[in-house]
Amino acid sequence: MEHFSVIVLGGGTMGSAAAWALGKRGVRALVLEQYRHVHTMGSHGGRTRIIRHAYAESPDYVPLVQRADALWQELEAEAGDRILYRTGGLDLAAPGFAHARDARSSAEQFGLPFDWLDGVEVRHRWPVWNVGDDWEACYSPQAGYLAVEPGLRALAAGARRLGATVSEEECVREWHLDGAGVRIGTDRTTYTADRLIITAGAWSGQVLAELGLPLTVLRKTLWWFDLDDPALFAPDRFPVFITESEAGEIYGFPADEHGRLKVAAHSGGEPTDPQTVDRQTHAGEHRDVLGTAQRVLKGVSNRLVESSVCLYTMTPDTDFIVDRLPESPHVVIGAGFSGHGFKFATAIGEELASLALDPTAAPLPRLALSRFSALV
Ligand SMILES: Cc1cc2nc3c(=O)[nH]c(=O)nc-3n(C[C@H](O)[C@H](O)[C@H](O)COP(=O)(O)OP(=O)(O)OC[C@H]3O[C@@H](n4cnc5c(N)ncnc54)[C@H](O)[C@@H]3O)c2cc1C
């Protein structure tokens, strides 16, 4: 039976980042991934992810994204592949909605660069925007997007260079505490390890069924539309964006290499199960997102050219879970990334590695399991 000091269960976003972080600390981890490394069955499909620092959700996340950003840059330099595209970002809010103010308040608290704009100024700077005069916007020059596949491939390559094994198409069927360690049964074999890091994404509820974590998986859809004039949406003149209005939260990206706009709703989504989720999109399902995009942006055509389904794993408070198991401190979990985890992955990898390796490391209070007091 092969033994490892650390096994990572789930080689997606957070598992790949944890393996890189473990490698940097001299630990040669085994990563077990049920599919091929980088796939569309979990939470990292759809090619791009927004990174923003003026964090509307809470200023508590700002130091984490600053650390993650530095590590994405380090990874990019190491890999020699472009991962981070700094296009600037717009957090917009219709009258009566707080998203833009919340972003500004995080920026102010941490001295981040930003421009505070009303709708008139937004339309002046980016003529494709069609918001009312009384909208508010926080423009952040540091924001942009991360390319998912180059990012995850670079994490895995970095981890492998530092001694990790990433085993693809190997599904963990069971794991048990085994004395001071763990025993892990896969569809191929059994391993033992001193420590286990569980980063199973949308499958975390199943993998940790006995813990009864308050996780809900949501089916989310992504849409790509042709643009009348893609040049007006080019990455050097059109920032990533999130708008909050009566229509919920809609976000989007500059035109991709085919001149198409990717846009999606952050709010909403049907509760589902990763094993049985409907992975097809259906006629008419894009109507609300397209309607909102066409109301606030000029030149978004009705031509739907691509779509995909992706999974959010929500906690009740939308904060992540990054902690040790209360009764088994050699088991660490990173779960419940609630549709906003990707940008933080490199920093979360470090947190997971230090919780696994350093008995004195404490979880970040906002991400600790103890907040679900019934569990501990
Ligand atoms: C549509 C969409 C848009 C998003 N947009 C953004 C954004 O703009 N910015 C942002 O920061 N975040 C965004 N996110 C969120 C971000 O992508 C996720 O928070 C992040 O990818 C979650 O990482 P994860 O490692 O938990 O899950 P995953 O990347 O899915 O990894 C989990 C892995 O575990 C594997 N696994 C599970 N069970 C087993 C098992 N038993 N054996 C072996 N392997 C197993 C799975 O196959 C999977 O590869 C978005 C998410 C979605 C779905």
Side-chain angles (χ1 to χ4, degrees):
M1 207 181 306
E2 244 187 306
H3 180 83
F4 290 84
S5 59
V6 182
I7 289 183
V8 179
L9 192 173
T13 312
M14 304 303 167
S16 303
W20 186 50
L22 288 164
K24 290 207 276 179
R25 295 180 62 153
V27 173
R28 301 150 76 93
L30 170 66
V31 181
L32 297 168
E33 169 51 49
Q34 63 183 342
Y35 299 116
R36 298 301 301 269
H37 182 252
V38 187
H39 58 83
T40 55
M41 305 295 278
S43 301
H44 58 262
R47 297 198 281 280
T48 48
R49 292 291 184 264
I50 291 176
I51 178 166
R52 56 199 161 83
H53 308 68
Y55 219 61
E57 288 82 343
S58 164
D60 290 355
Y61 282 99
V62 176
L64 201 62
V65 72
Q66 288 177 315
R67 177 66 188 149
D69 187 309
L71 288 167
W72 286 118
Q73 291 180 58
E74 181 185 318
L75 183 71
E76 196 173 56
E78 184 181 299
D81 255 348
R82 185 111 189 248
I83 298 169
L84 174 54
Y85 293 77
R86 247 184 249 285
T87 58
L90 264 176
D91 289 282
L92 298 122
F97 292 89
H99 183 79
R101 284 163 190 246
D102 291 344
R104 178 180 64 179
S105 138
S106 273
E108 282 171 343
Q109 197 167 320
F110 284 90
L112 304 177
F114 72 92
D115 295 331
W116 184 247
L117 308 168
D118 63 19
V120 179
E121 290 160 319
V122 169
R123 296 196 308 266
H124 180 70
R125 273 170 81 159
W126 300 280
V128 291
W129 278 102
N130 189 33
V131 292
D133 295 0
D134 48 3
W135 278 52
E136 294 175 330
C138 180
Y139 173 73
S140 307
Q142 285 181 302
Y145 67 88
L146 295 155
V148 170
E149 186 153 350
L152 296 189
R153 293 229 180 283
L155 287 170
R160 284 192 179 104
R161 249 194 317 275
L162 296 167
T165 305
V166 180
S167 180
E168 298 174 89
E169 298 181 305
E170 181 164 9
C171 183
V172 175
R173 299 282 185 217
E174 55 182 1
W175 64 272
H176 302 285
L177 300 173
D178 183 16
V182 280
R183 179 184 294 255
I184 291 129
T186 74
D187 50 6
R188 284 190 217 161
T189 186
T190 303
Y191 304 97
T192 55
D194 300 326
R195 292 178 173 75
L196 174 64
I197 296 179
I198 299 179
T199 46
W203 291 263
S204 301
Q206 274 110 307
V207 172
L208 289 156
E210 281 169 30
L211 212 62
L213 291 176
L215 298 174
T216 309
V217 177
L218 296 180
R219 175 181 177 276
K220 303 293 293 184
T221 49
L222 287 166
W223 309 98
W224 285 258
F225 296 99
D226 270 342
L227 292 162
D228 295 342
D229 184 356
L232 296 175
F233 290 81
D236 58 352
R237 51 199 296 203
F238 183 78
V240 295
F241 67 88
I242 302 182
T243 75
E244 189 188 25
S245 69
E246 294 77 5
E249 280 190 34
I250 305 291
Y251 63 92
F253 294 77
D256 66 12
E257 66 278 23
H258 308 293
R260 308 164 323 170
L261 177 78
K262 174 180 145 184
V263 64
H266 181 57
S267 42
E270 308 144 34
T272 189
D273 179 300
Q275 296 307 116
T276 56
V277 59
D278 180 359
R279 295 186 183 276
Q280 305 298 313
T281 57
H282 300 280
E285 218 185 329
H286 63 285
R287 208 170 289 134
D288 289 350
V289 168
L290 177 62
T292 307
Q294 288 181 328
R295 261 196 308 282
V296 295
L297 286 165
K298 296 182 206 159
V300 181
S301 87
N302 289 326
R303 287 183 304 279
L304 172 64
V305 282
E306 192 183 335
S307 64
S308 74
V309 169
C310 191
L311 303 173
Y312 279 8
T313 308
M314 307 301 292
T315 61
D317 53 14
T318 74
D319 289 321
F320 316 148
I321 300 172
V322 181
D323 203 347
R324 302 184 184 92
L325 291 195
E327 303 298 329
S328 324
H330 53 302
V331 179
V332 173
I333 59 175
F337 290 96
S338 302
H340 65 122
F342 196 93
K343 64 184 78 61
F344 300 102
T346 44
I348 296 290
E350 277 191 340
E351 292 294 321
L352 292 167
S354 58
L355 287 170
L357 301 178
D358 177 0
T360 63
L364 297 170
R366 196 176 181 103
L367 312 185
L369 263 175
S370 56
R371 71 189 195 272
F372 307 117
S373 51
L375 286 175
V376 290

